[in-house]
Amino acid sequence: MPNIVVVGAGVSGLTSAYLLSKQKDNVVTVVAKHMPGDYDIEYASPWAGANVLPMATAKNSSWERRTWPEIKRLATEVPEAGIHLLKSRVYRRQKDLEKLRAGGYSFDGLFEENPWYKSLFDDFRELSRDELPEGMASGCEFGSACINVMLYMPWLVGQCRANGVVLRRGQVKHISEAAALSHGGGKADVIVNTTGLMACRLGGVMDAKVVPVRGQVVVVRNEAPYMVTKSGTDDAADEVCYIMMRAAGGGTVLGGTYQKGQWESQPDPNYAMRIMRRAVEMMPELAGGKGVDGLDIVRHGVGLRPYREGGVRIEKEKIGDTWVVHNYGHAGWGYQGSYGCAQDVVALVDEVVSRSRL
């Protein structure tokens, strides 16, 4: 019976543990410093929106392509998972399109003209001129989903526990220490490293390519009729604009910032004011036409996206005398790529286990 220890209990760790636990022979333990219910700047998952807005380029879209059908299924068939379907609008500004065409646009594949993901959503359509807000050159709309992470993360824990996964609090200074932490006793056959941002500080990994991308948000009680984002703002190159309403009363998330290399955990009131102003300008009906004064604030928040230069790391590596399967560096797309990435983790773990049986 393969003995597997997953280090980290964010969405990547729990989804990996969940899919591994579907193979009944696997003995799976999750060891983590932070668990669902915790709020800490090292722990990105509770701060996420989290919605489905494809961010990959076509070449790297496999993880998101494989995750969307499962997110959609959960939204329609499993209400207790805390996911609902909601239309999403993506607006492209002329100045950003010009940068995109010239190859100088610094964000992701979301705002491309003729995007690959038009084949992912069966109701994808380009918006007509009269549907575009002032200052927008073009845009598209499709049926997406938004996750109430405060419900979804505990649901994932429940699925893991139903399959026999044991969750333990713990910290490891070096990834190899996890081999001794299986609840089944004995040494782990495989360690799965889903430590997110902390992969940059974990002994045996110390990945210097992993850096935080600071995201500040405002959560409000106002309900948004659809989700929306635009390709840039006039305030600063690292400030962004999006609105998404979480399922089941989870509040509406207004964002945001995309500040690479910033570790600051406290909300900045100046950013907060700009976030709210941009949101009500883009969607006046959010605040009943009353502007920022019409917003009913639940809280301000800051999360650190676990960005990795060169992209996500999903591969196996022998560290000391133990095989480690890495799954970290998802930046802002951890939820919407979670199942595709976890499927790859399962395949890599199977490779290690079958090799050890030879």
Side-chain angles (χ1 to χ4, degrees):
M1 296 180 78
N3 204 348
I4 303 160
V5 174
V6 178
V7 183
V11 68
S12 297
L14 291 176
T15 309
S16 297
Y18 176 36
L19 296 196
L20 286 164
S21 72
K22 289 187 170 189
Q23 298 180 357
K24 296 307 177 189
D25 283 351
N26 288 341
V27 176
V28 182
T29 308
V30 175
V31 177
K33 180 180 180 182
H34 305 294
M35 291 284 184
D38 296 357
Y39 281 95
D40 191 280
I41 199 61
E42 295 178 358
Y43 187 42
S45 289
W47 303 105
N51 66 357
V52 176
L53 284 177
M55 296 179 182
T57 58
K59 186 177 77 166
N60 297 315
S61 62
S62 168
W63 299 299
E64 291 175 320
R65 286 182 191 273
R66 286 181 282 148
T67 300
W68 170 241
E70 185 61 17
I71 296 289
K72 188 176 182 181
R73 185 190 72 82
L74 291 173
T76 53
E77 299 176 15
V78 188
E80 60 270 30
I83 305 173
H84 67 171
L85 299 176
L86 203 60
K87 289 284 188 189
S88 183
R89 289 191 166 198
V90 175
Y91 296 134
R92 312 176 189 106
R93 302 189 308 164
Q94 185 62 43
K95 62 182 79 173
D96 298 321
L97 283 181
E98 288 163 9
K99 282 188 210 165
L100 196 66
R101 290 167 187 152
Y105 186 68
S106 60
F107 286 111
D108 40 54
L110 177 63
F111 301 103
E112 287 177 358
E113 299 171 283
N114 194 28
W116 65 265
Y117 58 81
K118 69 180 184 182
S119 64
L120 191 64
F121 303 104
D122 53 19
D123 59 352
F124 176 94
R125 68 183 184 92
E126 285 289 323
L127 296 171
S128 61
R129 276 247 169 253
D130 58 0
E131 293 176 286
L132 296 171
E134 192 178 340
M136 298 301 149
S138 66
C140 60
E141 181 186 80
F142 49 88
S144 182
C146 192
I147 301 168
N148 182 340
V149 300
M150 294 171 287
L151 298 180
Y152 182 66
M153 292 291 283
W155 178 83
L156 266 182
V157 168
Q159 300 307 296
C160 287
R161 283 174 53 82
N163 287 352
V165 176
V166 172
L167 291 93
R168 306 175 65 178
R169 291 266 184 184
Q171 291 191 60
V172 294
K173 296 278 194 295
H174 192 285
I175 190 65
S176 298
E177 295 170 20
L181 297 177
S182 170
H183 75 275
K187 179 178 174 293
D189 298 300
V190 190
I191 297 166
V192 179
N193 171 26
T194 55
T195 52
L197 182 58
M198 291 301 104
C200 71
R201 297 178 177 175
L202 179 62
V205 182
M206 300 292 279
D207 192 336
K209 293 179 180 177
V210 175
V211 293
V213 174
R214 182 180 182 273
Q216 181 168 326
V217 297
V218 182
V219 182
V220 298
R221 293 181 179 87
N222 307 63
E223 295 190 344
Y226 54 91
M227 298 187 288
V228 63
T229 186
K230 64 178 180 177
S231 57
T233 75
D234 289 328
D235 290 316
D238 60 1
E239 293 187 44
V240 292
C241 185
Y242 56 83
I243 300 169
M244 65 183 85
M245 188 172 75
R246 289 170 168 169
T252 296
V253 180
L254 314 179
T257 62
Y258 199 89
Q259 299 166 305
K260 202 173 286 187
Q262 294 287 329
W263 287 84
E264 177 53 59
S265 63
Q266 297 305 305
D268 181 314
N270 295 311
Y271 286 127
M273 186 54 67
R274 291 200 291 273
I275 287 167
M276 292 187 286
R277 174 182 51 76
R278 289 193 296 259
V280 296
E281 285 174 358
M282 189 161 60
M283 187 186 284
E285 62 268 39
L286 179 70
K290 298 176 184 174
V292 171
D293 290 342
L295 295 174
D296 187 358
I297 298 170
V298 178
R299 67 176 169 274
H300 298 269
V302 173
L304 301 181
R305 303 171 183 92
Y307 177 86
R308 184 172 183 269
E309 300 286 349
V312 67
R313 185 183 185 194
I314 303 179
E315 62 184 6
K316 65 182 191 291
E317 177 187 16
K318 195 82 174 274
I319 298 179
D321 60 352
T322 307
W323 279 101
V324 176
V325 172
H326 299 288
N327 179 20
Y328 66 85
H330 302 85
W333 56 271
Y335 282 83
Q336 66 193 37
S338 56
Y339 284 88
C341 292
Q343 287 166 1
D344 288 0
V345 167
V346 171
L348 289 167
V349 169
D350 286 349
E351 281 180 25
V352 170
V353 169
S354 59
R355 180 183 296 186
S356 66
R357 285 176 176 152
L358 296 176

